[in-house]
Amino acid sequence: MNAIFYRNRASLLRLEGRGSSVIKSPKIWNAIKDMLGYCPYCMAGKQVTSKISGKNQPTKPPSDNEKRFLEGIRTGRNIALVGVFCPIFWTSLFMGAEKSVLLFNAAHSGIFICIGGALSLFNIIRLRRFRQEIEVKKNSALLGKKMVDSANFIGK
């Protein structure tokens, strides 16, 4: 039995070198992991494991504006997920509904996906701008302090 295991493992190791560069590409692998991150079961599992392990402790609590933007991103994501997992669309698809009914349900789900995506994207852009403004203010304050310190040093 060990010989079979090692022979299969050796053949797997030989196969890894052939044609698997697509899977090893970090961009594709990260895209797959990101898509799996939107699975409701994966989200629930991550939340349960983070609660049990206690690892998900934020270092700095977000400000009120950041909370508002993050909530908007979450809301948009949830609206888009409602469109993706619309039971009316999937029921009509699997039950073999007429083409017109199926297209209507697909358009309805697509509208939800577009609205949710637009809401998330809008809040992501606003959050990034807000964080950049904070970073610029922090850097300018540090630069001003360094200039004052260097002026005090030169003046002594």
Side-chain angles (χ1 to χ4, degrees):
M1 174 141 172
N2 287 336
I4 294 171
F5 173 73
Y6 289 120
R7 187 172 6 147
N8 289 339
R9 185 169 181 198
S11 63
L12 283 175
L13 290 175
R14 273 185 272 137
L15 287 176
E16 282 182 359
R18 297 183 198 157
S20 64
S21 62
V22 174
I23 300 295
K24 289 183 181 178
S25 174
K27 289 182 181 178
I28 293 175
W29 184 246
N30 287 337
I32 291 171
K33 286 197 305 190
D34 287 343
M35 292 192 60
L36 287 175
Y38 290 114
C39 171
Y41 298 110
C42 291
M43 286 183 202
K46 285 179 186 176
Q47 287 181 354
V48 168
T49 56
S50 68
K51 293 288 183 186
I52 290 172
S53 66
K55 290 182 180 178
N56 198 7
Q57 301 298 328
T59 56
K60 181 186 95 173
S63 68
D64 290 338
N65 286 333
E66 285 180 320
K67 285 180 186 177
R68 190 177 69 225
F69 297 143
L70 290 171
E71 191 63 34
I73 293 169
R74 214 172 285 122
T75 302
R77 180 202 60 202
N78 292 341
I79 291 171
L81 286 174
V82 166
V84 169
F85 297 109
C86 179
I88 297 169
F89 168 73
W90 290 106
T91 303
S92 65
L93 178 69
F94 290 130
M95 293 297 193
E98 294 180 15
K99 185 178 180 180
S100 61
V101 173
L102 192 60
L103 288 176
F104 174 76
N105 290 331
H108 184 262
S109 293
I111 289 170
F112 270 83
I113 293 168
C114 290
I115 289 172
L119 184 63
S120 288
L121 186 63
F122 177 70
N123 281 299
I124 287 170
I125 291 169
R126 287 175 53 190
L127 179 64
R128 284 186 182 168
R129 285 183 184 164
F130 178 74
R131 287 182 175 166
Q132 285 174 351
E133 288 174 6
I134 289 175
E135 193 67 30
V136 166
K137 287 178 184 176
K138 187 181 358 174
N139 288 340
S140 64
L142 287 175
L143 181 63
K145 184 179 182 226
K146 286 181 181 179
M147 291 189 70
V148 168
D149 289 344
S150 64
N152 288 339
F153 179 73
I154 293 172
K156 288 183 178 181

